[in-house]
Amino acid sequence: MTYSPPPAEELRLIDAELWQLDARRAHLLARRTWLVTVLRQAAAPAQAPAPAIPASGFAPARAEAAVPRVQNVLLVLGGVLLTVAAIAFTLVSWGHLGIAGRALVLGGVTAAVLAAPVPLLARGLRSTGEAVAGLGLALTVLDAYALHEVAFAGADSTGFAAGAAAVLAAGWAAYGTLPRVRELRLPLPAALAAGQLPLLLWAVAAGAGPSVIAGALLVTAAGDTAVALRWAVPAVRVTATAGAFGAGGCGALAAGWLSWSASGPGAAARAALLLLLAAGIAVAAGLRSRAEEHTTGLSVAAGLLAVGALGGLARSVLPAMWTVPAYLVCGVALPAVVRRAALPRALRRGAVLASVAVQGLALVTVVPLVGIALLGPASWVARIWSGAPDGARAAVATEEVWPPYAGTAPLVTAVVAAVLALTVRDGALRARARLTALTAAWATVLVLPPVLDMPYAAGLMVLGVLTAGTLAVAARARGGDLAVTALVLASVTSVAVGFEALAARAATPSVLAVLAVLFAAASTRARLSPVTAPAALVHATALACAAGAAAGWAPQHIALPVLAVPAVAALVAPRTGGAARVPVEVAGGAAGLLAVALAVPAPPMLALVLALCGAITAGAALRPDRRALGHASAALFVLASWVRLAAWEVTAPEAYTLPAALPALVVGVLRRRRGVRASSWAAYGPGLVVALLPSLAAAWTDAHWQRPLLLGAAALLVTLLGARHRLKAPLVLGGAVLALDALHELAPYLVQVTDALPRWVPPALAGLLLLVVGATYERRLRDVRRVREVLGGMD
């Protein structure tokens, strides 16, 4: 027989076995880690040998920092501390030594520190040599400061700093080119960094003007560029490039500000020379650059600087309003000049990009004027038909809002449009150029009437022609972005001209009629109809309102011609394309809602409008794909009848409920006769509820006997029909209404009987009822189940 230990003993044995398994698994995992490390080090013999695994079986912790990184940190920290100590000595302890002691200490320490990297490099300690060389360079700066304090204390500080920077730059450069020291990477970049200061400080010390200071920065940038192009050492090239961009950028910005603020041709010429110098530096760097993207970027900068130089010269001799056209002409001519110079492809591409940037900036200056031309006419909504303005400029803005120097804006947009349309031949860019050219040409025509201050009628005609032209472009375009852009421009222009036409009573209907016809004609193109057909309906709606208002009609009378728009939409929608059908119907529905809103002040007219809307909706519901509109049509007819009854001051609820209930019941009967699977609640429930419940509520508050009698008879008839045809909804609703109506009629008598009985009779009757119910409990339950089954078997 097998021995089974007690549960406690067995549990202890299992825990001991599991602990041993865990210990063995941990030992094996540690051994595996050690073996993997040994194999990796065997594959890479250059690395240090694998560390021995400790007896405990756990691998040693990994180092978080490499040895060279720790070494560099220590060397830099040591150099910084020594530099701080030297500064403290120079500033604090300097005065305690004599002249000879000072010279001996400074010269000896500096010479020793600068000579120390040579033996360090010979022993292979390059990092240490770099740190010591940095300390020596810092000591030379302290030597210059000490020399100024002792021998040149009365000299100008800025001038002495310029000379000291030049001497230090030359000295550090000579030191960095020594046979053994040239292995160090610090001296030559430090010399370049110091070389950024002499010219700038000399110009400041001499009290030179901004032009000379900008020139000093640009000459310094030219030197940095030459070093960056000729020197192959990476550290030197990076330092020189940073200096060239820093000094050149500051100098170019200063020259650009001088060109923009020049008060005469002389100052503009000096600034132009500086800008051309900066452009020449950029071109020289681009010619020597090996990376095409760098060459292109430098060429873009050179082109912008050249445009700024020549445009500034032209601006100084031309009126202020010609400033933007002057820069634009220079930017347009730039690619042609560069193309004739036979420059590399990257430089020519950069010139083209610079020209595009100039044209884009020129277009930006026209944006405020375009905004005024589009948004300004909206102010006529608040002062509609207040009289035609004196001119097209007064129609869009007042003199305070009109921007200065706007006279050349059409010329700017026209030049850009012509350049883009005639010069861009590349297939990938031509589509975008055409879009921009179309927009620029549209802006030209849009701002032309207010700029020339045309007569009001002429301005409206120009905008109408512009709308027709953009619609023609959209119609002739072969789809794509060009057609979409033209449609958007046409729609925006039509809104602007519509608002502008609100100034004069006679102009408003005429302009809106023309716009409606234009968009209706454009709707003959299927690809345009999703936008143009709803736009035509919107303008037609506005035309109906404007015509009625011009004729002096009241708002409720204007609603009738507005209803012509949804009627047309209902007729046109089936004949339009699939994409245009829904927008047309939405526009027609919006016009119908507007008509209803206009007729609200007059209930009789509102009833007529609602009935006409129901008729239009019923006509649309005849289409197989719009059968659902039949419900909306019925709701509109019912609502129209209710509004008419309310206008006649009819208070009987049956006059409101029966016109809605009877059609609903007829529809239910027809649905069930056609074989549609629908319960009696879905077919007859809504109609019966509308017909019976409001009358029941009125009957309970009616003091006369006619309404309860008629309601009871109707409820009895409905109940009998439900029982005859085994329909649940008529049986339940008719029976409930009949019971409640009978209860209402018997309520007074019940109250009288209750008052006449003694007070002990109700408790006695209740007890007797309980005894009877208890005695026949099982039979009553069976009867209740039978009634429930009968009702459940009905529809």
Side-chain angles (χ1 to χ4, degrees):
M1 296 178 65
T2 304
Y3 169 73
S4 298
E9 181 66 17
E10 186 178 0
L11 178 62
R12 187 185 63 80
L13 293 175
I14 290 174
D15 290 340
E17 290 291 338
L18 290 175
W19 181 84
Q20 291 178 4
L21 290 175
D22 291 339
R24 181 62 178 168
R25 185 175 184 275
H27 174 74
L28 292 176
L29 288 175
R31 184 67 180 175
R32 180 183 181 279
T33 303
W34 180 77
L35 291 174
V36 170
T37 305
V38 170
L39 292 176
R40 288 179 179 175
Q41 290 179 351
Q47 299 180 359
I53 187 169
S56 61
F58 294 100
R62 296 177 58 186
E64 296 183 357
V67 174
R69 183 175 299 176
V70 174
Q71 170 187 326
N72 294 335
V73 170
L74 294 176
L75 291 176
V76 171
L77 183 60
V80 170
L81 292 176
L82 289 175
T83 303
V84 172
I87 294 173
F89 170 78
T90 304
L91 297 178
V92 178
S93 302
W94 178 257
H96 301 290
L97 299 176
I99 298 298
R102 299 171 185 175
L104 181 62
V105 170
L106 283 177
V109 172
T110 304
V113 173
L114 291 176
V118 176
L120 292 175
L121 291 173
R123 293 177 179 270
L125 302 175
R126 181 172 179 176
S127 298
T128 307
E130 293 281 1
V132 174
L135 176 60
L137 299 180
L139 288 176
T140 56
V141 177
L142 294 177
D143 292 343
Y145 170 75
L147 183 63
H148 176 267
E149 293 296 324
V150 173
F152 300 98
D156 179 54
S157 300
T158 307
F160 180 82
V167 172
L168 289 175
W172 292 350
Y175 176 71
T177 56
L178 292 177
R180 193 67 182 178
V181 183
R182 69 179 57 180
E183 299 179 12
L184 299 175
R185 292 176 294 181
L186 183 60
L188 291 180
L192 275 175
Q196 308 301 311
L197 301 176
L199 291 179
L200 177 61
L201 294 178
W202 273 330
V204 174
S211 299
V212 177
I213 294 176
L217 290 172
L218 292 176
V219 171
T220 303
D224 293 333
T225 304
V227 173
L229 293 176
R230 291 182 173 273
W231 215 279
V233 180
V236 176
R237 178 174 294 177
V238 170
T239 306
T241 302
F245 276 104
C250 294
L253 290 176
W257 178 79
L258 291 173
S259 176
W260 183 258
S261 60
S263 58
R270 290 191 295 271
L273 291 176
L274 294 174
L275 290 173
L276 292 177
L277 174 60
I281 296 171
V283 171
L287 290 173
R288 296 292 300 273
S289 179
R290 298 179 181 178
E292 184 175 354
E293 59 272 14
H294 295 167
T295 303
T296 302
L298 292 170
S299 177
V300 171
L304 293 176
L305 291 170
V307 170
L310 300 178
L313 282 175
R315 188 192 65 83
S316 64
V317 297
L318 293 175
M321 64 181 300
W322 292 96
T323 299
V324 176
Y327 284 102
L328 179 60
V329 170
C330 296
V332 171
L334 181 62
V337 174
V338 173
R339 191 180 300 110
R340 294 182 179 180
L343 293 174
R345 178 178 177 274
L347 286 177
R348 295 199 304 270
R349 184 171 181 270
V352 172
L353 293 178
S355 177
V356 171
V358 172
Q359 296 177 49
L361 292 174
L363 289 179
V364 169
T365 62
V366 187
V367 170
L369 186 60
V370 173
I372 292 175
L374 288 177
L375 303 178
S379 62
W380 290 104
V381 175
R383 44 198 178 101
I384 185 172
W385 294 346
S386 58
D390 296 334
R393 184 177 301 176
V396 299
T398 61
E399 292 297 332
E400 292 77 12
V401 179
W402 187 252
Y405 314 129
T408 56
L411 178 62
V412 171
T413 53
V415 169
V416 173
V419 170
L420 293 175
L422 299 176
T423 60
V424 180
R425 301 298 181 187
D426 185 74
L429 299 176
R430 179 146 182 86
R432 298 181 181 178
R434 291 173 64 190
L435 293 180
T436 309
L438 174 63
T439 305
W442 167 81
T444 303
V445 182
L446 179 69
V447 302
L448 194 62
V451 167
L452 300 180
D453 201 10
M454 294 181 177
Y456 174 69
L460 292 178
M461 292 180 61
V462 170
L463 293 181
V465 172
L466 178 60
T467 305
T470 49
L471 286 176
V473 172
R476 298 189 62 180
R478 298 178 180 178
D481 296 336
L482 184 61
V484 173
T485 304
L487 273 179
V488 171
L489 296 178
S491 302
V492 171
T493 309
S494 66
V495 173
V497 68
F499 280 127
E500 190 171 337
L502 296 177
R505 181 185 296 267
T508 304
S510 302
V511 170
L512 292 176
V514 171
L515 292 176
V517 170
L518 287 176
F519 280 93
S523 300
T524 56
R525 298 296 180 98
R527 65 174 183 273
L528 303 182
S529 58
V531 176
T532 56
L537 294 177
V538 170
H539 289 103
T541 303
L543 173 61
C545 295
W553 292 358
Q556 60 269 23
H557 298 142
I558 298 177
L560 293 178
V562 171
L563 282 179
V565 176
V568 172
L571 293 174
V572 171
R575 296 171 176 80
T576 57
R581 184 172 301 173
V582 173
V584 168
E585 291 175 345
V586 170
L593 291 177
L594 177 61
V596 172
L598 290 173
V600 166
M605 186 60 68
L606 177 60
L608 177 59
V609 170
L610 289 172
L612 293 176
C613 289
I616 296 171
T617 310
L622 295 177
R623 292 156 44 195
D625 57 339
R626 291 294 182 266
R627 295 299 189 192
L629 293 178
H631 301 288
S633 176
L636 288 171
F637 280 125
V638 171
L639 189 59
S641 65
W642 287 357
V643 173
R644 182 71 264 183
L645 292 173
W648 286 337
E649 298 181 355
V650 175
T651 58
E654 291 78 8
Y656 295 89
T657 58
L658 292 181
L662 293 178
L665 293 174
V666 171
V667 171
V669 172
L670 295 177
R671 289 184 63 188
R672 291 178 63 86
R673 285 188 176 181
R674 290 178 181 177
V676 178
R677 184 61 181 172
S679 66
S680 62
W681 287 107
Y684 307 119
L688 293 176
V689 168
V690 173
L692 297 177
L693 295 187
S695 298
L696 178 63
W700 273 71
T701 59
D702 194 349
H704 303 284
W705 58 271
Q706 292 86 354
R707 178 180 280 114
L709 178 60
L710 294 176
L711 177 62
L716 177 61
L717 178 61
V718 170
T719 304
L720 294 176
L721 289 175
R724 172 68 178 80
H725 297 284
R726 300 179 58 82
L727 298 176
K728 185 185 299 184
L731 181 61
V732 173
L733 291 175
V737 172
L738 180 61
L740 293 174
D741 185 65
L743 178 62
H744 172 265
E745 292 302 309
L746 294 176
Y749 303 101
L750 292 177
V751 171
Q752 294 176 5
V753 172
T754 303
D755 292 338
L757 291 176
R759 294 187 177 270
W760 54 268
V761 174
L765 292 176
L768 181 62
L769 178 64
L770 291 176
L771 289 176
V772 174
V773 172
T776 59
Y777 183 75
E778 184 177 0
R779 186 191 306 171
R780 301 310 176 199
L781 285 179
R782 186 168 59 250
D783 294 340
V784 170
R785 291 194 191 99
R786 187 179 297 111
V787 172
R788 185 176 63 184
E789 291 174 359
V790 170
L791 289 176
M794 295 182 179
D795 291 339

